[in-house]
Amino acid sequence: MSVDGEVRRLRTEADEPGWEVDPDDEWGVAVVATVGRQVKLRREAVGMRAGEFGRAVGYGEDLVYKIESGKRIPRPEFLDRADEVLDAGGLLAAMKEDVAKVRYPKKVRDLADMEARAVEIGVYECSNIPGLLQTPEYTRALLESWLPAYTPEDLERRVAARAARQAVYERSPAPALSFVLEEATLRRRVGGTMVRRQQFERLLEVGRLRSVSLQVMPMDSAPHPGMSGRIELLKFEDGTAVGRSDGAFNSRPIHDPKHLRILELRYGTIRAQALPPRESLALIEHLLGET
């Protein structure tokens, strides 16, 4: 088969694993359905059959029908090529941003949205390095240990989603970020030597930012309020806030000021017991030297 003078194998559903729409994600379903409908309308407006259009963009006819019916998430390059073939004037290509968000799990997308709006973010993590501090290699090594195992496609989807959240560091003005992590998580051998070295270097890089306070809870510390699990606190410009703790309020997000004060008290006590930022960075440098 010839397209633009080249022989090209058309993409089929077998070539596109991991691009199904989550039926429980109402916003995602609506976005993909709208995109599919626009593709179909533009295709019919220029008088192209699905098979002809598929050959022009390098996709099989069945996959084109699935995209048009909102059953498959189109790749960014598909939308670029479709925009060009259908002479859509940028209409289809402009949908790439929303379509890209649909690929991420709804829970992760909601968290990223809150982090993007927060003016203050505080995180205590007792079991691993917080996601906002992880390198993609560390994230991948960590998720590879989970059971039941993720499919390769779902694994990469989650790695990409976690990495995308780190756009928070590019905001201007930057939010105030504070992290407290346990020394034991730094000593745990997640990934190989290079993965650990890159992770320590990343911690030092972020920990030296003026908008970031990075602290380590030493292994010989006294018991503290974070021993029951992770604590997150996010505060917004309008004065509202949201928090979550593994050891309180059924681990659900909370907005009630009385409950938030409890989490703030716990988080403040944890920060007071942890090593100061300068000593924490010195400990990470020491661990990097040992790796």
Side-chain angles (χ1 to χ4, degrees):
M1 153 187 327
S2 178
V3 178
D4 296 334
E6 297 180 359
V7 175
R8 181 180 302 174
R9 185 176 67 85
L10 302 183
R11 287 181 180 270
T12 66
E13 192 163 4
D15 301 315
E16 298 282 287
W19 290 80
E20 296 85 1
V21 184
D22 182 352
D24 295 327
D25 182 358
E26 295 182 2
W27 179 80
V29 169
V31 167
V32 176
T34 299
V35 172
R37 187 161 52 249
Q38 288 297 322
V39 171
K40 182 178 181 180
L41 288 172
R42 295 297 305 187
R43 175 178 64 77
E44 292 178 341
V46 299
M48 292 185 77
R49 295 182 179 275
E52 181 187 1
F53 169 66
R55 288 190 292 275
V57 297
Y59 273 60
E61 184 175 351
D62 288 346
L63 194 51
V64 168
Y65 279 130
K66 284 186 177 293
I67 290 173
E68 291 186 346
S69 62
K71 296 178 180 178
R72 300 285 290 185
I73 304 171
R75 288 181 178 270
E77 56 268 26
F78 171 89
L79 292 175
D80 282 333
R81 184 63 177 149
D83 196 284
E84 178 183 346
V85 169
L86 301 177
D87 193 24
L91 174 66
L92 299 179
M95 297 179 174
K96 288 189 295 184
E97 184 176 346
D98 283 341
V99 170
K101 293 178 182 178
V102 175
R103 282 218 73 198
Y104 302 147
K106 184 177 184 300
K107 181 178 179 181
V108 175
R109 199 168 66 234
D110 291 345
L111 176 58
D113 177 67
M114 288 191 293
E115 289 171 344
R117 294 186 292 108
V119 295
E120 292 183 38
I121 300 175
V123 179
Y124 163 74
E125 181 62 79
C126 62
S127 58
N128 52 61
I129 294 171
L132 285 176
L133 297 173
Q134 294 175 11
T135 64
E137 294 76 16
Y138 180 95
T139 300
R140 185 175 294 103
L142 190 67
L143 295 181
E144 284 176 345
S145 69
W146 287 20
L147 293 174
Y150 292 120
T151 64
E153 296 79 19
D154 199 20
L155 176 66
E156 292 307 315
R157 179 188 185 193
R158 291 174 182 275
V159 171
R162 192 164 298 182
R165 288 170 49 205
Q166 297 186 14
V168 68
Y169 297 112
E170 301 170 7
R171 286 173 48 195
S172 181
L177 299 155
S178 69
F179 302 96
V180 183
L181 51 156
E182 293 283 347
E183 180 182 350
T185 66
L186 299 176
R187 295 187 177 276
R188 184 167 295 118
R189 298 185 180 278
V190 176
T193 299
M194 187 55 65
V195 171
R196 297 187 71 225
R197 287 189 61 85
Q198 291 174 342
Q199 182 60 69
F200 290 146
E201 290 169 353
R202 176 60 174 166
L203 291 175
L204 292 172
E205 176 188 5
V206 175
R208 291 175 179 137
L209 297 175
R210 289 191 299 174
S211 59
V212 175
S213 172
L214 178 59
Q215 296 177 259
V216 176
M217 183 69 74
M219 294 181 67
D220 60 357
S221 69
H224 59 76
M227 296 182 68
S228 59
R230 175 185 176 94
I231 294 176
E232 297 173 274
L233 286 166
L234 291 85
K235 298 182 180 181
F236 306 103
E237 190 172 16
D238 62 1
T240 61
V242 63
R244 189 181 73 83
S245 173
D246 290 342
F249 314 116
N250 296 316
S251 301
R252 295 177 179 176
I254 58 168
H255 304 268
D256 184 271
K258 181 175 66 175
H259 293 160
L260 286 169
R261 281 196 294 272
I262 293 174
L263 293 190
E264 289 175 343
L265 175 61
R266 293 182 181 181
Y267 188 62
T269 303
I270 292 169
R271 294 190 69 184
Q273 288 186 228
L275 295 175
R278 182 174 297 181
E279 293 180 29
S280 297
L281 294 180
L283 174 58
I284 295 171
E285 287 180 333
H286 176 73
L287 293 173
L288 174 60
E290 287 185 340
T291 305

